[in-house]
Amino acid sequence: TTLFRSFQQAYYFLDITIPIHSIPWTMEYVNCLVNSGDFRALQIIDNIYNGIKPDENDEEPEPAIRDFLYFLLRRKAYVLVEKGRLNEAEEIFRPMLEQPENSDFALNELAYIQKLREKKNKNKSE
């Protein structure tokens, strides 16, 4: 319960910072939601991501924004894995294999998803 209280306190203060649009604070806010298992995490990640992602016709975002978008996708995929929505998570991880910044992370997560599937199939056959 001490850890949960810490997340509650962090959420309280970080929630106040959202209108400031600070990338580091928003990252901490998202981490707080994800790490505490908050049911709103996916929706909030999607809202933030959709609010800043460039359109197809836009030029490449500046590196800080690009890295923030990658962070949001990694956190979203993590939540999807935690919820057992492996196919959706895999759809996020597969394109990351082509991104030097994300390829190692994506490869590890795809291997983890494969292990989860194998474990699930093993349990079904027993």
Side-chain angles (χ1 to χ4, degrees):
T1 59
T2 303
L3 183 60
F4 181 71
R5 252 186 254 123
S6 296
F7 280 124
Q8 282 182 315
Q9 289 174 330
Y11 172 81
Y12 174 79
F13 289 107
L14 290 167
D15 187 54
I16 294 169
T17 68
I18 290 301
I20 297 171
H21 300 291
S22 163
I23 289 176
W25 289 352
T26 303
M27 290 172 76
E28 290 304 322
Y29 175 71
V30 168
N31 280 332
C32 180
L33 292 170
V34 171
N35 295 339
S36 68
D38 194 298
F39 70 95
R40 300 168 291 186
L42 273 179
Q43 184 63 47
I44 290 172
I45 291 169
D46 280 340
N47 288 345
I48 295 169
Y49 183 85
N50 291 329
I52 62 171
K53 76 175 180 176
D55 292 329
E56 290 179 16
N57 299 330
D58 290 346
E59 59 187 58
E60 179 75 17
E62 63 182 73
I65 300 296
R66 184 199 64 222
D67 293 345
F68 182 52
L69 291 166
Y70 288 160
F71 163 81
L72 291 170
L73 288 175
R74 289 190 305 267
R75 296 311 318 204
K76 178 179 180 175
Y78 175 88
V79 172
L80 291 169
V81 169
E82 289 294 305
K83 291 182 173 285
R85 294 165 57 180
L86 304 181
N87 292 338
E88 292 172 74
E90 191 172 26
E91 288 177 22
I92 294 171
F93 288 131
R94 289 244 176 251
M96 286 184 181
L97 292 171
E98 305 301 320
Q99 302 161 349
E101 308 88 336
N102 292 314
S103 60
D104 290 343
F105 175 80
L107 189 60
N108 289 334
E109 291 301 311
L110 288 167
Y112 178 67
I113 288 172
Q114 184 61 34
K115 286 181 184 179
L116 290 175
R117 286 185 173 137
E118 289 170 2
K119 182 178 178 182
K120 184 178 178 180
N121 289 337
K122 182 180 175 187
N123 289 341
K124 279 184 180 180
S125 65
E126 292 179 351

